[in-house]
Amino acid sequence: MPLYKKQTVKIYNTLSGEKEIFNPINEGNVGMYVCGPTVYSNVHLGNVRTFMSFDVIFRFLKHLEYKVRYVRNITDAGHLTDDGDINNDRFVKQSRLEKLEPMEVVQKYTVDFHRVLDFFNFLPPTIEPTATGHIVEQIELTEKLIKDGFAYESQGSVYFDVLEYNKRGLNYGELNNRNVDELLSNTRDLDGQNEKKNPQDFALWKKASPAHIMRWNSPWGEGFPGWHLECTAMSTKYLGEKFDIHGGGMDLKFPHHECEIAQGKACNGTTPVNYWMHTNMLTMNGLRMSKSTGNYILPMELINGGTTFFEKEFHSNIVRFCFLQAHYRSVLDISNEAMIASEKGFTRLMEGIHLCSEIETSPSSSVDILSWKQNCYDAMNDDFNTPILIAHLFEGIRLVNVLNDKRETITPTDLNELKNTLEVFTFDVLGIKNEKASNNTTNKLEGVIEMLIEMRKAARENKNWALSDEIRDKLLALDIQLKDGKEGTSFTF
């Protein structure tokens, strides 16, 4: 029996505003789409926080033995966040700023995106499509929307007709609980509004000006796709007209995800997604991160120490551990104090996991491992609550220390269950790198320590107590503690 049949996952659905039991459309299979980066600049920490949240969700669903198709796109064209002056296209602006071809900009920052996510131990998505690789599909969707009366051409551009959509009994604004009148009153006066029937209509295709570099042929002339259309085109192609989970940052709820719902319903006659998930924002020192205010750092500056906001560099494991101590729907605030505290907690967790191998077993157990294990599952089953999971992992570490001090007893079977559960949730689900197992530098260091332990053992056998103590004390000065036991000498960092 697959593990998902033994667990009940609940997901907070932004569309309903409630936690709902997760029932995938096709049993044993999950289709998940997450809005990826717009690759015109370095990936920022807020992006990392969002993608890390969905990386953990991806990992947990895979752990439950679901077959997951995880699609995360790359926006490499047409990112016009409003329907006004096309000079606001972020790729055009960055291309001019860096004196590069737009696709050079795309390649540069796509490589940066992947490099940063590799540092934080992200699993790659199942499919990573690009907007420029799906121009044909976006044109086809636009043609269908025009044919069905949901869109219209105007001066070489094509717009989605929001009022027509609502006249047909559909509900533009349902994800954000906003009505069309409210949207109309909040519409800004932008260039290009005179092309539209209604101010709240949004672009499916924009006519390219003579100066616009990224442009493609279409039935309406040369232009480029609207920002919202790419996600509908790619999610439909790879996950179908209706799929399980769509995720992204809360800043995408409106207008991006609202427009996706409208496009999907208009094209296919069905709600495109069953569960909408949104991550909250990341702040630093209690303030919103912003380049204009200077309260801003890049992800790699946390790792290499290239910032004055933090007193030192932090391993990517510690950054990841810090991020996951906040629930994905809560605001995450990072600071020097928070990172230092996370480093201490992370060290305690790793030491406890490594200590499992030193615990002596007994014919009987005085501890209940299975209840504790289920608590770990319950935390993740409850809308992927990583901070509660981490609290339960520390409860497991407390138990490890009690067992190591021989205040409780445990059977070999239960000890193996305890150790495996700690490792599975820490390394496989939370995505912490198992440095002890995978880091070549660490393996070499451990080899040197083992050699020193053998030298100390020989010194003790020869009653050279001075050398034995010197080896122990010098290692201790380096925060490497030796522990002598019945089965020999072990060490912890």
Side-chain angles (χ1 to χ4, degrees):
M1 179 187 294
L3 191 54
Y4 64 79
K5 286 185 174 289
K6 302 175 184 178
Q7 305 294 331
T8 300
V9 176
K10 288 187 176 181
I11 295 177
Y12 181 86
N13 190 348
T14 308
L15 192 59
S16 67
E18 297 177 352
K19 290 181 185 177
E20 301 175 6
I21 293 175
F22 178 58
N23 289 309
I25 296 168
N26 299 303
E27 183 179 333
N29 295 270
V30 178
M32 181 168 76
Y33 187 94
V34 173
C35 292
T38 303
V39 285
Y40 69 95
S41 64
N42 297 105
V43 60
H44 59 75
L45 272 173
N47 293 141
V48 171
R49 193 267 171 108
T50 291
F51 300 134
M52 187 180 294
S53 297
F54 288 103
D55 180 62
V56 170
I57 291 166
F58 180 38
R59 286 171 174 274
F60 185 60
L61 293 174
K62 284 169 64 71
H63 170 70
L64 292 181
E65 300 179 77
Y66 282 110
K67 183 177 180 181
V68 186
R69 177 174 287 181
Y70 174 21
V71 182
R72 186 185 67 211
N73 71 299
I74 296 284
T75 296
D76 59 350
H79 194 100
L80 192 63
T81 54
D82 58 49
D83 295 328
D85 185 354
I86 62 169
N87 289 318
N88 287 332
D89 187 306
R90 294 176 177 181
F91 294 100
V92 173
K93 293 173 73 173
Q94 197 65 24
S95 175
R96 291 169 178 165
L97 183 65
E98 297 195 34
K99 294 182 172 58
L100 296 172
E101 286 293 322
M103 293 312 292
E104 286 183 287
V105 172
V106 166
Q107 178 67 11
K108 175 181 176 180
Y109 293 114
T110 300
V111 169
D112 170 74
F113 173 69
H114 289 140
R115 181 176 67 95
V116 170
L117 265 56
D118 283 345
F119 264 98
F120 290 103
N121 200 34
F122 283 59
L123 295 178
T126 317
I127 302 173
E128 192 173 55
T130 64
T132 56
H134 296 78
I135 298 296
V136 170
E137 289 85 351
Q138 292 175 78
I139 290 175
E140 288 174 349
L141 282 179
T142 303
E143 288 179 314
K144 186 176 190 309
L145 289 168
I146 292 175
K147 179 182 176 182
D148 293 344
F150 286 104
Y152 57 91
E153 180 186 357
S154 177
Q155 301 179 39
S157 295
V158 180
Y159 295 95
F160 188 93
D161 193 332
V162 170
L163 292 187
E164 177 62 29
Y165 177 80
N166 275 22
K167 284 178 185 177
R168 301 197 192 184
L170 303 169
N171 180 19
Y172 184 77
E174 62 186 289
L175 183 65
N176 294 269
N177 293 314
R178 299 163 77 176
N179 58 46
V180 172
D181 291 337
E182 180 187 356
L183 297 172
L184 180 61
S185 65
N186 290 332
T187 301
R188 291 177 294 160
D189 185 17
L190 300 169
D191 292 339
Q193 293 285 19
N194 62 336
E195 298 179 0
K196 303 178 183 181
K197 291 182 180 178
N198 314 292
Q200 65 270 45
D201 294 348
F202 56 89
L204 300 172
W205 186 267
K206 286 291 289 185
K207 179 182 179 180
S209 71
H212 201 86
I213 306 169
M214 302 181 83
R215 55 204 297 142
W216 290 266
N217 289 322
S218 79
W220 317 285
E222 288 191 340
F224 57 95
W227 170 35
H228 314 302
L229 190 62
E230 63 173 287
C231 288
T232 296
M234 290 184 279
S235 63
T236 301
K237 179 171 183 175
Y238 298 111
L239 298 175
E241 294 178 357
K242 190 179 186 69
F243 55 95
D244 298 301
I245 298 171
H246 194 314
M250 65 182 298
D251 58 313
L252 297 180
K253 281 176 60 181
F254 188 86
H256 187 51
H257 291 161
E258 197 72 69
C259 294
E260 281 192 66
I261 291 175
Q263 290 166 165
K265 290 174 102 172
C267 279
N268 306 314
T270 182
T271 300
V273 179
N274 279 349
Y275 304 88
W276 283 91
M277 302 181 68
H278 293 93
T279 60
N280 213 321
M281 70 175 65
L282 179 144
T283 59
M284 187 168 69
N285 297 317
L287 301 172
R288 189 183 183 95
M289 291 188 68
S290 168
K291 287 183 180 179
S292 61
T293 63
N295 192 56
Y296 181 86
I297 61 169
L298 290 171
M300 296 307 296
E301 290 179 314
L302 264 177
I303 295 175
N304 61 32
T307 173
T308 58
F309 286 106
F310 298 86
E311 65 184 63
K312 63 175 202 170
E313 71 279 3
F314 293 95
H315 192 281
S316 57
N317 263 342
I318 295 167
V319 178
R320 186 172 181 117
F321 185 69
C322 178
F323 279 23
L324 295 178
Q325 289 182 81
H327 189 261
Y328 77 89
R329 287 192 289 113
S330 300
V331 174
L332 167 65
D333 186 63
I334 60 169
S335 64
N336 186 68
E337 293 74 18
M339 292 303 303
I340 294 295
S342 292
E343 184 175 49
K344 291 177 180 177
F346 173 79
T347 300
R348 180 183 161 212
L349 179 62
M350 292 299 103
E351 288 178 347
I353 291 174
H354 297 154
L355 188 59
C356 282
S357 59
E358 300 177 22
I359 293 174
E360 295 182 11
T361 58
S362 169
S364 62
S365 285
S366 60
V367 292
D368 184 357
I369 298 301
L370 293 182
S371 293
W372 166 79
K373 178 180 178 180
Q374 186 57 48
N375 287 339
C376 294
Y377 276 104
D378 289 344
M380 289 302 291
N381 289 338
D382 185 17
D383 196 31
F384 313 102
N385 201 322
T386 55
I388 298 299
L389 169 62
I390 290 171
H392 288 310
L393 292 179
F394 278 121
E395 177 60 24
I397 297 305
R398 185 198 66 79
L399 183 56
V400 168
N401 291 319
V402 167
L403 292 166
N404 188 58
D405 293 340
K406 300 182 176 58
R407 286 179 280 157
E408 300 280 2
T409 59
I410 192 167
T411 64
T413 300
D414 281 352
L415 177 60
N416 188 57
E417 193 79 61
L418 171 62
K419 183 174 183 292
N420 285 345
T421 302
L422 283 168
E423 290 180 347
V424 163
F425 278 99
T426 300
F427 303 131
D428 296 347
V429 175
L430 293 181
I432 301 296
K433 294 178 189 174
N434 189 351
E435 296 290 339
K436 186 176 178 65
S438 64
N439 190 297
N440 189 48
T441 301
T442 301
N443 289 339
K444 289 179 179 179
L445 174 59
E446 290 177 355
V448 172
I449 296 171
E450 293 289 355
M451 180 183 69
L452 290 170
I453 288 174
E454 288 299 316
M455 290 175 61
R456 180 171 175 265
K457 179 182 176 183
R460 295 177 73 181
E461 289 172 351
N462 294 325
K463 301 189 186 311
N464 188 346
W465 309 118
L467 178 57
S468 171
D469 291 345
E470 183 181 7
I471 292 172
R472 180 199 63 205
D473 294 343
K474 286 191 174 180
L475 286 173
L476 186 60
L478 296 171
D479 291 329
I480 301 169
Q481 184 176 3
L482 300 184
K483 295 184 179 181
D484 296 316
K486 293 180 181 178
E487 299 180 1
T489 302
S490 61
F491 64 91
T492 57
F493 291 106

